[in-house]
Amino acid sequence: MNEQAKAYWDSYWKGKEKPESVKAWSFGTAPDRMARLVMDGVKTATCSARQAYEVEKEALPEVGEYNIILNGEDEPAAIIRTTEVEVVPFNEVTEEFARAEGEGNLSYHNWLEFHKKFFKEESEEIGYDYSEDMDLVCERFQLVHVNPD
């Protein structure tokens, strides 16, 4: 976590008992736009290829975890808290979940086409097997705080 994110985290919890751990990250594509959607309360979900966690040796997200969302300049934009994590085959993601991702025109078709392209490219880049029934880690979250800076 960079110094700006750490300072934001510490400032938010000042005078209160803060959780022991927090991750800071940005959305892979269009981090500024995605951070804005989170800050506006439009984006309340995200998904990742389960295999990406395995390749990168990262733990799956857990309910109750806090995350600092960074913008394209790696500046802290907001704090979110994970409320639900479910592993779902890509071809079984619901229209409702696709809308909760808050991207594009909010249609399932738009979500599906974008994510097919994204996961195909990611699979080639980091080295996992893409398929339309691969497992996705579908995460829902609530907005906790928007950075006023």
Side-chain angles (χ1 to χ4, degrees):
M1 177 172 5
N2 67 34
E3 288 302 315
Q4 285 180 300
K6 184 177 180 343
Y8 172 49
W9 179 248
D10 291 343
S11 173
Y12 175 75
W13 290 100
K14 189 172 187 167
K16 300 178 269 186
E17 186 176 337
K18 69 180 174 183
E20 288 183 25
S21 67
V22 61
K23 294 176 187 169
W25 50 272
S26 60
F27 290 96
T29 59
D32 288 328
R33 185 168 49 87
M34 295 295 112
R36 174 53 52 199
L37 290 172
V38 170
M39 293 163 66
D40 290 344
V42 175
K43 183 172 183 62
T44 60
T46 192
C47 65
S48 306
R50 182 181 182 125
Q51 292 177 79
Y53 287 94
E54 294 165 6
V55 168
E56 296 176 347
K57 295 179 177 27
E58 288 189 28
L60 296 181
E62 293 183 19
V63 171
E65 286 182 336
Y66 287 88
N67 293 277
I68 299 170
I69 301 303
L70 305 173
N71 65 21
E73 302 295 316
D74 282 339
E75 300 164 335
I79 297 171
I80 61 171
R81 186 167 190 231
T82 303
T83 58
E84 182 181 317
V85 178
E86 186 177 15
V87 177
V88 177
F90 186 9
N91 58 4
E92 293 181 25
V93 170
T94 66
E95 288 185 42
E96 190 277 328
F97 185 87
R99 274 192 306 280
E101 283 221 47
E103 300 168 30
N105 64 10
L106 304 181
S107 75
Y108 180 77
H109 177 76
N110 180 264
W111 178 90
L112 183 61
E113 293 308 308
F114 173 82
H115 284 79
K116 279 182 184 178
K117 182 178 185 294
F118 175 82
F119 289 125
K120 282 179 186 174
E121 289 173 2
E122 182 186 68
S123 70
E124 292 170 5
E125 183 180 317
I126 67 171
Y128 64 80
D129 296 326
Y130 169 83
S131 71
E132 291 187 17
D133 64 349
M134 67 182 195
D135 283 342
L136 297 186
V137 179
C138 296
E139 181 179 355
R140 293 180 186 270
F141 54 82
Q142 66 184 39
L143 178 62
V144 173
H145 187 261
V146 172
N147 190 355
D149 294 338

